[in-house]
Amino acid sequence: MVKKSKGDRLVDGLIILILAVVCVVCVFPLLYVVSVSLTPITEVHRNGGFLVIPRSVTLDAYRTIIQQKALPRAMGITAYITIAGTAINIVATVMMAYPLSKKKLAGRKWLIPFIIFPMLFSGGTIPTYLLIKNLNLVGTYWALLIPGAVYTYNLMVVKAFFENLPEELFESARMDGANEFCVLRRIVVPLSKPVVMTMVLFYAVSHWETYFDSIMYLPDQNMQTLQVVLRRMLTPNMEMNADATIPTMTLQMAMVVFTTIPIIVVYPFIQKYFTKGMMLGAVKG
């Protein structure tokens, strides 16, 4: 075992210190939100709004959220949009990234700038709304699924990952009689699990947090997503006046925790793929 010099130990100590500070900075907001959501507002004010570990605990805010009649429907809608939308995103992204990763693709040098251009210069909210309206998608869940079927950044990451796969495997499969779809399904996708799972996380979080699009394209309140329903609970003109029973601040924090829990639960199972997928997908542009 090589003994580290004093300078190396000093550098290691400095790195550990920096990582510890970063960890505290990242974890503190989460602890603060959870603590405020579980603490009576009088204790929060008594501590000047700075609270990490509550001395007394109340679940009134969570009970208030769960008792809302619109909540089960909104959760079901959001879960459906998240699952269906992520499936559409992954299929569309992989099917589009695979041919773009082939240097022999006809017109490739023109297709890639054409795809990247809308990411840099979008049409804007009003033209997008008019397009979706003319397609008769307003008032349907397709308005939340089809327009964002492929995110350009995610597409470029997946394309770069595919470019790093050994071409010899594809050639061997073609010599055995496999067509391009078979190569994609049986070789490319299994080898690309890290980047695919990373994209699953990106797309799923985006769909789970859908708010603005739900307001824009779903005028029927019975069709709106979880984020919109929870936001309505805070407005004074809806079916519940939060300040009459639960302070708005406590209710807000409880809503943040309530909507974040599913992502926190799923993330540990994807984290190992997330790191590997982002590193490998960023090797080549």
Side-chain angles (χ1 to χ4, degrees):
M1 183 176 179
V2 180
K3 186 177 180 180
K4 292 185 177 181
S5 65
K6 184 177 180 180
D8 292 337
R9 292 197 299 270
L10 182 62
V11 172
D12 290 344
L14 181 61
I15 292 174
I16 293 173
L17 178 62
I18 294 174
L19 291 177
V21 172
V22 172
C23 181
V24 171
V25 171
C26 294
V27 172
F28 175 77
L30 179 61
L31 291 177
Y32 175 78
V33 169
V34 174
S35 297
V36 173
S37 71
L38 295 172
T39 306
I41 195 64
T42 53
E43 182 179 340
V44 176
H45 292 326
R46 189 162 52 246
N47 287 273
F50 184 85
L51 185 71
V52 178
I53 301 177
R55 295 181 179 179
S56 59
V57 175
T58 176
L59 298 176
D60 291 344
Y62 293 95
R63 293 193 189 98
T64 301
I65 294 174
I66 295 174
Q67 289 172 357
Q68 296 306 301
K69 295 180 180 179
L71 189 63
R73 181 193 296 113
M75 289 193 67
I77 291 172
T78 304
Y80 163 75
I81 291 174
T82 300
I83 295 173
T86 302
I88 293 173
N89 293 142
I90 294 300
V91 172
T93 301
V94 170
M95 294 291 290
M96 192 171 180
Y98 179 65
L100 288 174
S101 67
K102 302 302 177 183
K103 296 181 179 179
K104 296 180 180 180
L105 177 67
R108 180 178 183 267
K109 67 177 182 178
W110 302 106
L111 283 173
I112 293 178
F114 181 78
I115 293 170
I116 294 177
F117 185 83
M119 181 178 69
L120 304 176
F121 305 96
S122 63
T125 302
I126 295 177
T128 302
Y129 177 82
L130 293 176
L131 174 61
I132 294 176
K133 182 179 180 181
N134 291 333
L135 293 173
N136 296 321
L137 296 180
V138 175
T140 69
Y141 294 124
W142 292 112
L144 305 183
L145 301 177
I146 300 300
V150 177
Y151 291 2
T152 304
Y153 174 79
N154 295 348
L155 174 65
M156 292 297 105
V157 172
V158 177
K159 179 188 79 70
F161 190 98
F162 288 170
E163 290 175 344
N164 291 326
L165 296 177
E167 185 66 27
E168 293 78 9
L169 292 175
F170 308 150
E171 294 296 337
S172 298
R174 296 187 188 104
M175 291 177 63
D176 291 336
N179 56 30
E180 290 298 330
F181 180 77
C182 184
V183 171
L184 175 63
R185 182 169 61 90
R186 295 188 177 183
I187 298 178
V188 176
V189 173
L191 290 176
S192 304
K193 185 179 290 186
V195 76
V196 170
M197 295 304 295
T198 300
M199 294 305 111
V200 167
L201 180 63
F202 282 1
Y203 283 124
V205 170
S206 177
H207 287 296
W208 181 261
E209 296 178 348
T210 297
Y211 176 78
F212 183 73
D213 287 350
S214 179
I215 294 177
M216 286 281 292
Y217 306 127
L218 300 177
D220 186 353
Q221 291 188 357
N222 292 326
M223 297 179 63
Q224 289 178 339
T225 58
L226 178 64
Q227 309 294 339
V228 179
V229 171
L230 291 177
R231 179 64 182 86
R232 283 211 315 260
M233 293 171 58
L234 295 175
T235 58
N237 297 325
M238 300 309 299
E239 62 270 10
M240 182 194 71
N241 187 351
D243 287 319
T245 54
I246 307 297
T248 301
M249 181 180 180
T250 303
L251 198 59
Q252 286 175 332
M253 298 303 178
M255 289 178 181
V256 171
V257 175
F258 188 81
T259 56
T260 306
I261 286 177
I263 305 300
I264 295 177
V265 171
V266 172
Y267 180 75
F269 299 99
I270 304 179
Q271 191 269 340
K272 61 179 181 180
Y273 299 113
F274 176 80
T275 304
K276 186 177 180 181
M278 288 305 296
M279 291 298 294
L280 295 179
V283 172
K284 296 172 67 178

